[in-house]
Amino acid sequence: MKSVKYLFLLVVLGTVSSISAQNSDNDQFHWLIGNWKGNHNDGVFYESWVRTDNNALVGKAYNVVKSDTLFKEQILIQKIGKFWVYIATIEEGYPVLFTLINSDDTKWTFVNYEHDFPQRIVYHQIDEKKLHVLIESDAQGVNVKEKYLLEKY
């Protein structure tokens, strides 16, 4: 089983290495810097990003319902070697790494098919002040999605 996972990782990394999504710096993410919020279910979802250097953006995301923070994670977009990755760490948990497999001027897709939920994180810039985030998985043949429409504030 371990060799199957290793082979899968090699195939993914080999595919990713040929994708033009792996630009040399994080200029493709500059528009993401700042504070974002949007209504989600019964609460408000917040996401904030700052640039740390030319190869990383650090952020945080959390969901507030009434006065309770129900969900909190540290997020990072960083270039590791020649690959851009999205790393999410939920509260006291372990970091989960997603690899950028596709991007253009307004849309970025990060994946980790070994993770239960989410397996895909898609950032889609609607305009300078609007962002659509889709997180989804195909677990046991069932597609599960969460959508967030965020505005810069």
Side-chain angles (χ1 to χ4, degrees):
M1 184 63 161
K2 195 174 196 178
S3 62
V4 172
K5 286 184 179 181
Y6 181 71
L7 179 61
F8 175 77
L9 180 62
L10 286 176
V11 169
V12 168
L13 290 177
T15 303
V16 170
S17 68
S18 65
I19 295 174
S20 64
Q22 307 301 331
N23 291 339
S24 62
D25 60 27
N26 66 6
D27 284 344
Q28 63 183 321
F29 304 110
H30 75 278
W31 63 272
L32 193 55
I33 296 168
N35 299 309
W36 300 83
K37 74 176 179 178
N39 294 328
H40 183 69
N41 295 334
D42 294 332
V44 180
F45 182 81
Y46 295 89
E47 193 165 294
S48 299
W49 292 94
V50 296
R51 182 189 306 246
T52 59
D53 63 34
N54 207 33
N55 290 316
L57 276 81
V58 173
K60 61 183 175 180
Y62 55 98
N63 194 32
V64 177
V65 175
K66 298 183 183 173
S67 61
D68 293 328
T69 302
L70 300 181
F71 170 83
K72 189 172 17 176
E73 71 179 346
Q74 299 299 314
I75 45 183
L76 172 69
I77 296 175
Q78 182 173 16
K79 189 164 190 183
I80 298 177
K82 58 183 175 179
F83 303 104
W84 282 100
V85 295
Y86 180 105
I87 302 170
T89 307
I90 297 175
E91 301 189 67
E92 303 296 321
Y94 294 101
V96 179
L97 185 140
F98 299 83
T99 304
L100 180 67
I101 62 160
N102 194 15
S103 71
D104 60 30
D105 290 340
T106 63
K107 195 172 190 179
W108 298 264
T109 302
F110 299 88
V111 299
N112 178 341
Y113 295 114
E114 296 294 316
H115 192 246
D116 55 354
F117 185 84
Q119 293 176 329
R120 282 177 300 284
I121 301 171
V122 180
Y123 278 77
H124 184 197
Q125 180 186 17
I126 306 301
D127 60 38
E128 289 181 11
K129 299 279 186 183
K130 289 186 182 170
L131 165 65
H132 181 256
V133 180
L134 170 69
I135 62 173
E136 65 178 335
S137 287
D138 291 315
Q140 300 167 352
V142 177
N143 185 263
V144 179
K145 295 181 183 182
E146 287 187 22
K147 298 177 183 180
Y148 301 84
L149 180 59
L150 306 178
E151 293 189 20
K152 206 168 211 176
Y153 70 99

